[in-house]
Amino acid sequence: QVQLVESGGGLVQPGGSLRLSCVVSGFSLDYYSMGWFRQAPGKEREGVSYIGSSNDITYYEDSVKGRFTISRDNAKNTVYLQMNNLKPEDTAVYYCAADAWGGSDWYDLSIYDYWGQGTQVTVSS
C-alpha cells in the first residue's frame, strides 16, 4: 500500500518555527522527487518547495525563500520541511507529494504520482 503521511503541523505564533515530516511507505524514495504544497481557505493549492531525487536541486516559492528549508533522508523514507519565521499568511494545510517522472515544472500538481492527506499549520497570535 502506497502511503504518504505528513506530521508536525500545529498552532504557532508569528515568528515561530515548525518542522513538517512526510513519511512514505510502499515505494522507495531513491528515484522520486518530492514536493511540498499548501492550500489556504478559499485558495488554490500552491507549490511551496521541491527537492530532486538526487538531492542536488531545490526550489522554493518566492514568499518562503530564506525562511523554509526542504531536506530528505532516504534511509528513513522521510522528507522534511523546516519552517522558520512563520507568518499568518503561511496558514494552510500542507501536503507532500512524490514525482517519479521528474517533470520540469515542479509546481504543476499534475506531475505528482502520490499525495498525502495533509497537516494543518496555523500561524496566529
Side-chain angles (χ1 to χ4, degrees):
Q1 183 77 24
V2 173
Q3 289 188 335
L4 285 72
V5 180
E6 302 96 336
S7 63
L11 175 63
V12 64
Q13 293 185 351
S17 297
L18 288 172
R19 190 192 194 200
L20 304 184
S21 298
C22 174
V23 179
V24 307
S25 60
F27 67 96
S28 174
L29 276 180
D30 291 355
Y31 298 102
Y32 283 80
S33 299
M34 299 293 295
W36 283 98
F37 293 78
R38 66 187 180 188
Q39 188 165 18
K43 302 291 186 180
E44 297 293 320
R45 192 171 299 187
E46 66 173 357
V48 177
S49 189
Y50 171 95
I51 185 165
S53 60
S54 63
N55 262 332
D56 59 350
I57 297 175
T58 58
Y59 297 109
Y60 296 92
E61 195 272 328
D62 287 343
S63 69
V64 309
K65 288 180 180 177
R67 299 189 297 121
F68 291 10
T69 302
I70 190 170
S71 62
R72 63 192 294 156
D73 187 339
N74 289 358
K76 295 181 179 179
N77 293 327
T78 303
V79 179
Y80 305 96
L81 185 68
Q82 179 67 45
M83 306 186 296
N84 297 326
N85 192 24
L86 284 161
K87 303 176 180 180
E89 50 263 45
D90 296 317
T91 296
V93 177
Y94 283 71
Y95 302 87
C96 66
D99 168 32
W101 293 98
S104 59
D105 296 334
W106 70 270
Y107 47 82
D108 185 351
L109 277 63
S110 67
I111 74 171
Y112 292 91
D113 304 289
Y114 306 115
W115 290 85
Q117 293 298 305
T119 185
Q120 177 71 51
V121 172
T122 302
V123 185
S124 177
S125 59

